[in-house]
């Protein structure tokens, strides 16, 4: 992410960038300046990098504008032109827009189908680089090599890590030829190109191409259907969303307020742990299902059974 931030400024000769509420891009100073998933991540590290603007992400289940899709007209994109570019920064001063195609720490949020194509169109209109953070969603996780493929998006810069080398420490910043214009020596890394990590990445890519991407799509669809089927029996489950094996289950209070219920979410997570099912929280009140891409339908069915029992006990 640091490399993408630097390249965006270097190539465009512009200083400002845009990111989203709920985003998590990292903890080093540049990526932390883009991050806005929790204020605790940023506390006591200021001043952060100037010129970073944040706007709400396309989260239909809890729309920040209190609108309904599709009658909303995708206001979460329209606000960039109507508000941000009018009152805060001119578009010709913006180097890049940084976005997760599916928000991770923000709650496993899948945006509406028009969202990313409209964002790409906005970037092309104003000569702004579109930078996709696929660190969590890339390398087969969503049933495609990269999540942006679900919407036919072609970013100017793409960042990948995590699944790229099956746990070995490796990350990649991938840019178009016409964007990667910096001179030799402008950017570098002490540990970049580690041969063992690169060998792990090549082996990982081979496994993905041999069937793990397809498995993520098939088993992910099965798992999502099983989780969705729990909703009629458990009113505290307010939403099940995701693509492939990147699925979030959100909890809400049962008092009719539809408010997020983080305490219940945490109790369910603990109960799952006690039953041998490891889940991780994200967003205000969401649990994420992100199993290894080798998971089988039988294992997924067992996970759902354990999860439902945990929900019942945590009430």
């Amino acid at each position: 992410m640091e490399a993408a931030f630097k390249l965006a400024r270097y190539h465009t000769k512009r200083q400002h960038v845009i990111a989203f509420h709920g985003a998590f891009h990292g903890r080093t100073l540049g990526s932390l300046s883009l991050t806005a998933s929790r204020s605790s991540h940023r506390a006591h590290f200021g001043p952060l990098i100037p010129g970073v603007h944040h706007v709400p992400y396309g989260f239909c289940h809890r729309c920040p504008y209190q609108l309904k899709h599709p009658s909303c007209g995708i206001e979460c994109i329209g606000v960039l032109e109507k508000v941000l570019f009018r009152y805060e920064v001119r578009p010709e001063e913006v180097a890049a827009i940084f976005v997760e195609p599916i928000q991770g720490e923000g709650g496993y949020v899948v945006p509406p189908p028009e969202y990313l194509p409209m964002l790409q169109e906005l970037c092309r209109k104003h000569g702004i680089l579109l930078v996709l953070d696929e660190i969590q969603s890339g390398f087969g996780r969503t049933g495609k090599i990269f999540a942006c493929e679900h919407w036919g998006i072609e970013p100017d810069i793409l960042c990948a890590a995590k699944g790229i080398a099956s746990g070995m420490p490796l990350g990649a910043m991938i840019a178009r030829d016409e964007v990667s214009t910096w001179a030799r020596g402008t950017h570098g890394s002490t540990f970049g190109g580690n041969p063992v990590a690169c060998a792990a990445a090549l082996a990982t890519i081979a496994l993905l191409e041999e069937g793990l991407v397809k498995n993520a799509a098939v088993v992910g669809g099965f798992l999502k259907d099983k989780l969705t089927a729990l909703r009629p029996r458990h009113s505290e489950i307010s939403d099940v969303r995701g693509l492939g094996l990147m699925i979030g289950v959100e909890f809400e209070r049962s008092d009719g307020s539809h408010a997020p219920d983080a305490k219940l979410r945490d109790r369910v997570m603990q109960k799952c742990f006690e039953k041998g099912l490891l889940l991780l929280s994200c967003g205000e009140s969401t649990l994420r299902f992100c199993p290894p891409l080798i998971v089988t339908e039988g294992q997924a069915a067992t996970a759902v059974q354990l999860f439902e029992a945990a929900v019942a006990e945590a009430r």
Side-chain angles (χ1 to χ4, degrees):
M1 294 306 299
E2 298 288 339
F5 201 150
K6 289 173 64 179
L7 179 58
R9 281 185 164 180
Y10 184 92
H11 175 72
T12 63
K13 304 301 185 287
R14 302 175 180 183
Q15 293 188 5
H16 294 263
V17 299
I18 297 169
F20 295 86
H21 296 155
F24 184 87
H25 296 293
R27 299 178 188 270
T28 51
L29 197 62
S31 59
L32 182 61
S33 301
L34 300 169
T35 292
S37 56
R38 279 185 287 177
S39 59
S40 59
H41 290 147
R42 298 161 60 96
H44 311 302
F45 294 115
L48 299 177
I49 303 298
V52 179
H53 307 265
H54 288 92
V55 295
Y57 190 74
F59 188 5
C60 293
H61 182 62
R62 297 197 179 277
C63 176
Y65 304 104
Q66 305 298 309
L67 300 174
K68 295 291 184 182
H69 179 266
S71 61
C72 63
I74 317 301
E75 178 67 11
C76 45
I77 294 296
V79 73
L80 290 166
E81 294 268 24
K82 293 188 290 185
V83 179
L84 190 68
F85 292 164
R86 180 178 180 184
Y87 295 109
E88 290 190 29
V89 60
R90 296 293 301 165
E92 59 268 21
E93 293 187 291
V94 176
I97 296 179
F98 290 78
V99 64
E100 299 163 276
I102 300 174
Q103 279 201 337
E105 287 293 321
Y108 270 31
V109 179
V110 182
E114 306 93 336
Y115 185 79
L116 290 170
M118 289 177 66
L119 191 62
Q120 179 174 257
E121 182 180 351
L122 181 77
C123 288
R124 301 286 184 264
K125 175 182 175 181
H126 295 293
I128 298 169
L129 299 182
L130 179 61
V131 182
L132 293 189
D133 180 344
E134 292 254 21
I135 290 170
Q136 188 163 171
S137 61
F139 280 83
R141 171 58 51 191
T142 68
K144 302 280 188 182
I145 288 290
F146 294 111
C148 61
E149 297 177 60
H150 289 282
W151 297 277
I153 300 300
E154 297 182 356
D156 299 295
I157 302 174
L158 185 147
C159 298
K162 295 187 185 295
I164 191 174
S166 298
M168 292 294 289
L170 189 69
M173 188 276 292
I174 307 160
R176 295 177 182 270
D177 284 344
E178 60 269 27
V179 172
S180 188
T181 54
W182 46 17
R184 184 175 181 178
T186 304
H187 181 74
S189 170
T190 301
F191 300 107
N194 178 278
V196 177
C198 288
L202 291 173
T204 298
I205 292 170
L207 289 169
L208 292 172
E209 292 176 341
E210 289 168 9
L212 289 188
V213 175
K214 181 179 180 180
N215 190 67
V218 172
V219 180
F222 172 86
L223 176 58
K224 185 180 176 183
D225 287 345
K226 289 287 187 180
L227 290 168
T228 301
L230 300 180
R231 290 190 62 194
R233 300 196 295 271
H234 302 279
S235 60
E236 54 276 304
I237 297 176
S238 67
D239 195 27
V240 176
R241 53 181 178 262
L243 291 171
L245 289 171
M246 188 173 182
I247 301 171
V249 178
E250 182 168 336
F251 292 88
E252 68 180 18
R253 294 174 61 176
S254 57
D255 58 6
S257 67
H258 301 296
D261 195 337
K263 291 182 178 179
L264 174 60
R265 183 269 313 274
D266 292 345
R267 292 197 301 271
V268 172
M269 183 168 61
Q270 179 61 32
K271 291 292 184 181
C272 286
F273 175 75
E274 293 168 3
K275 296 176 184 298
L277 177 62
L278 298 179
L279 301 178
L280 189 62
S281 61
C282 60
E284 285 190 90
S285 60
T286 299
L287 284 176
R288 61 184 117 184
F289 285 75
C290 48
L293 304 191
I294 59 172
V295 69
T296 66
E297 288 190 354
Q299 291 167 334
T302 299
V304 174
Q305 291 174 356
L306 295 172
F307 177 71
E308 182 172 23
V311 172
E313 292 177 17
R315 285 173 176 166

